[in-house]
């Protein structure tokens, strides 16, 4: 339930960005991007959103130059205290909660991956801690075949048994089948809704799972909002960015929310994206694989006891074209180096990292990867490691490493984890950073 004593920051963000059903004013609430700009401005003024609720906050708006939102609009939104109180009481009575980007339990995956367009507010019901746990996003069309249902339920049950939450859109078809299969196996699920959270939170369909703490229903839109195509399309990014991996079971070729969401995920590279591969799958699935998604068949799924191992192995075997081009440039540079220089990349470090004399052979081994996983995985780590060494001379985050090397964050994470496992790098905490191991 919502605590009646919301933090001042969350109260202010609700006033600025909330719609309050039919009780709001005619002034348009701030969008995610507008709120982000305002938050940066407040930070520059050494103030927090909650400060706007105090008289000196109003003075700040009126006197400080450069506010990214028109003063009259801000003041009108902040004056909606009566509507806020009535709305929060109604939500609380129905078991809903709300969190803002200023709350400590706001999902870090959303904040890191979406940055300025991360939703300022999240409304939900159930176990809000599930939003921090990542998981497997399982999505697909509303109309699906029996074979697609069987595959969906199988991988959802496996996820539940292995402690991997299932994250989906709660819509009819693949989404609903995946969530129900995970809950039936006593697993955890997160339903990212595009509309009607208030109605879903009190429905018998989810009542027991919400009580048990196995389920969280969440939306970035007003809990009383009805269906809209824009919201349905917009919530796709929240499904993927709350997850660790994405899986498309069925997608209509070139159309529909599942297709558009998958294309956006491939473009933004939020998480590794897998697609069900079968002769019973439609042309949309095949086209997504051709565009860079990773093929996942029932046969391959059955060969692995651990889904984490399966997903990580397939992700490593899927080499982005840009990375292949970069590896060729790295190899050309390494060929001009002596083996001694290549092995001793850190001053005073006698540890032999990888024999760079093998880089020519590694480059020759770069060949197309069978999308069904039949071809052996390509190991680019020996090629990329000399460049990672340069970046790791000082402690850096995954994102900083990814930017330094021109790669995607999930690929940087995989290589950094391997470097830690092999004793080449050390993982620091608070915040999470990586640095060269110095014996």
């Amino acid at each position: 339930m919502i605590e009646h004593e919301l933090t001042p920051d969350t109260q202010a963000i609700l006033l600025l960005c909330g719609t309050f059903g039919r009780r709001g004013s005619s002034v348009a609430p701030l969008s995610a991007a507008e709120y982000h700009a305002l938050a940066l401005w407040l930070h520059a003024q050494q103030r927090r959103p909650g400060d706007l609720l105090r008289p000196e906050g109003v003075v700040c708006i009126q006197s400080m130059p450069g506010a990214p939102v028109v003063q009259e609009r801000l003041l009108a939104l902040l004056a909606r205290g009566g509507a806020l109180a009535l709305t929060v009481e109604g939500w609380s009575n129905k078991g809903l909660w709300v969190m803002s980007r200023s709350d400590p339990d706001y999902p870090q995956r959303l904040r890191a991956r979406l940055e300025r367009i991360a939703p300022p507010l999240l409304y939900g019901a159930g176990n809000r801690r599930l939003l921090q746990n990542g998981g497997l996003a399982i999505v697909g069309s509303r109309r699906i075949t029996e074979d697609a249902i069987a595959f969906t339920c199988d991988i959802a049950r496996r996820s539940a048994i292995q402690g991997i939450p299932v994250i989906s859109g709660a819509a009819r078809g693949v989404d609903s089948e995946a969530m129900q299969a995970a809950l039936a196996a006593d697993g955890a699920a997160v339903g990212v809704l595009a509309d009607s959270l208030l109605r879903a939170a009190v429905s018998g369909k989810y009542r027991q799972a919400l009580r048990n703490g196995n389920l969280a229903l969440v939306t970035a839109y007003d809990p009383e909002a009805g269906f809209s195509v824009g919201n349905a399309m917009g919530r796709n990014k929240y499904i993927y960015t709350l997850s660790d991996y994405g899986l498309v079971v069925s997608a209509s070729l070139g159309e529909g929310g599942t297709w558009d969401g998958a294309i956006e995920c491939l473009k933004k590279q939020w998480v590794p994206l897998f697609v069900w591969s079968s002769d019973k799958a439609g042309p949309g699935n095949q086209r997504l694989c051709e565009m860079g998604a990773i093929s996942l068949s029932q046969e391959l799924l059955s060969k692995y006891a651990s889904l984490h191992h399966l997903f990580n192995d397939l992700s490593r075997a899927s080499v982005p074209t840009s990375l292949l081009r970069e590896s060729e440039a790295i190899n050309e540079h390494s060929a001009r180096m002596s083996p001694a220089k290549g092995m001793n990349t850190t001053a005073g470090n006698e540890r032999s990292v990888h024999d760079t004399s093998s880089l020519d052979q590694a480059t020759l081994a770069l060949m197309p990867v069978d999308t069904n996983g039949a071809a052996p995985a390509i190991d680019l780590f020996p090629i990329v490691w000399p460049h990672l060494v340069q970046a790791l001379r000082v402690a850096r985050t995954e994102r900083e490493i990814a930017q330094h090397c021109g790669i995607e964050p999930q690929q940087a994470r995989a290589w950094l984890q391997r470097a830690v496992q092999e004793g080449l790098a050390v993982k620091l905490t608070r915040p999470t950073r990586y640095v060269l191991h110095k014996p």
Side-chain angles (χ1 to χ4, degrees), residues 1-3 6 10 14 88 91 96-100 103 105 120-125 128 223:
M1 280 192 183
I2 293 177
E3 298 291 340
L6 295 172
T10 298
L14 268 169
V88 168
W91 290 342
L96 300 190
W97 46 256
V98 60
M99 67 171 68
S100 72
D103 289 328
D105 56 350
L121 297 165
L122 290 176
Y123 311 90
R128 59 198 283 167

Side-chain angles (χ1 to χ4, degrees), residues 410-426:
Q410 61 264 31
Q411 183 62 70
R413 182 180 306 119
W415 280 333
L416 289 168
Q417 290 173 349
R418 177 169 172 181
V420 171
Q421 291 171 358
E422 296 185 14
L424 304 174
V426 177

Side-chain angles (χ1 to χ4, degrees), residues 32-92:
E34 287 176 323
Y35 171 73
H36 181 76
L38 177 64
L40 292 177
W41 180 78
L42 287 171
H43 180 74
Q45 311 301 321
Q46 298 184 333
R47 295 185 180 275
R48 298 186 59 82
D51 294 335
L52 298 179
L53 302 179
R54 303 188 182 98
E56 59 267 28
V58 175
V59 173
C60 173
I61 294 174
Q62 295 173 331
S63 62
M64 293 293 184
V69 183
V70 176
Q71 295 178 7
E72 290 76 8
R73 182 182 175 196
L74 286 179
L75 295 174
L77 290 172
L78 291 170
R80 301 184 300 161
L84 173 65
L86 289 172
T87 301
V88 168
E89 182 179 5
W91 290 342
S92 181

Side-chain angles (χ1 to χ4, degrees), residues 244-247 265 269-274 294 311 315 410:
D244 297 312
Y245 317 99
L247 170 63
C265 184
Q269 302 252 319
W270 286 316
V271 294
L273 184 66
F274 302 90
I294 306 169
F311 295 147
S315 298
Q410 61 264 31

Side-chain angles (χ1 to χ4, degrees), residues 319-338:
V319 184
T321 303
S322 60
L323 187 57
L324 288 175
R325 288 198 298 265
E326 179 180 299
S327 70
E328 292 173 359
I330 295 172
N331 183 70
E332 182 179 346
H333 171 74
S334 300
R336 296 194 296 267
M337 297 171 59
S338 68

Side-chain angles (χ1 to χ4, degrees), residues 7-289:
T7 66
D9 282 348
T10 298
Q11 290 182 50
I13 297 171
L14 268 169
L15 289 170
L16 293 169
C17 304
T19 57
F20 308 153
R22 297 183 180 88
R23 290 183 287 268
S25 70
S26 59
V27 181
L30 303 187
S31 66
E34 287 176 323
Y35 171 73
H36 181 76
L38 177 64
L40 292 177
W41 180 78
L42 287 171
H43 180 74
Q45 311 301 321
Q46 298 184 333
R47 295 185 180 275
R48 298 186 59 82
D51 294 335
L52 298 179
L53 302 179
R54 303 188 182 98
E56 59 267 28
V58 175
V59 173
C60 173
I61 294 174
Q62 295 173 331
S63 62
M64 293 293 184
V69 183
V70 176
Q71 295 178 7
E72 290 76 8
R73 182 182 175 196
L74 286 179
L75 295 174
L77 290 172
L78 291 170
R80 301 184 300 161
L84 173 65
L86 289 172
T87 301
V88 168
E89 182 179 5
W91 290 342
S92 181
N93 290 337
K94 297 295 178 61
L96 300 190
W97 46 256
V98 60
M99 67 171 68
S100 72
R101 272 171 42 175
S102 293
D103 289 328
D105 56 350
Y106 186 92
Q108 292 303 310
R109 286 173 175 80
L110 288 185
R111 195 193 307 274
R113 291 168 173 168
L114 295 178
E115 298 178 333
R116 68 180 182 84
I117 61 170
L121 297 165
L122 290 176
Y123 311 90
N127 187 355
R128 59 198 283 167
R129 291 189 296 273
L130 293 177
L131 303 184
Q132 297 284 8
N133 295 342
L136 172 63
I138 304 179
V139 297
S141 304
R142 293 174 180 264
R143 297 180 180 180
I144 51 175
T145 65
E146 291 299 322
D147 294 287
I149 292 175
F151 180 80
T152 299
C153 292
D154 182 22
I155 197 165
R157 281 192 294 266
R158 290 171 186 259
S159 297
I161 292 170
Q162 296 177 34
I164 302 173
V166 166
I167 302 172
S168 198
R172 177 171 52 86
V174 168
D175 296 23
S176 181
E177 294 286 348
M179 290 175 58
Q180 293 298 331
L183 294 172
D186 200 27
V190 175
V192 184
L193 278 61
D195 63 276
S196 308
L197 170 66
L198 192 61
R199 184 173 60 192
V202 297
S203 70
K205 181 179 181 180
Y206 298 119
R207 184 178 298 121
Q208 194 59 49
L210 289 171
R211 288 176 178 173
N212 293 343
N214 289 15
L215 174 65
L217 299 176
V218 64
T219 184
Y221 310 108
D222 189 283
E224 300 176 57
F227 177 82
S228 78
V229 174
N231 289 357
M233 301 292 283
R235 64 89 183 268
N236 291 325
K237 58 180 171 287
Y238 306 135
I239 295 175
Y240 286 117
T241 53
L242 282 170
S243 307
D244 297 312
Y245 317 99
L247 170 63
V248 175
V249 176
S250 63
S252 299
L253 179 60
E255 62 180 8
T258 301
W259 173 268
D260 290 340
I263 296 300
E264 186 177 20
C265 184
L266 286 173
K267 179 180 178 181
K268 301 294 179 59
Q269 302 252 319
W270 286 316
V271 294
L273 184 66
F274 302 90
V275 174
W276 177 47
S277 175
S278 167
D279 56 3
K280 303 294 179 62
N285 288 32
Q286 177 61 37
R287 181 60 183 141
L288 288 174
C289 289

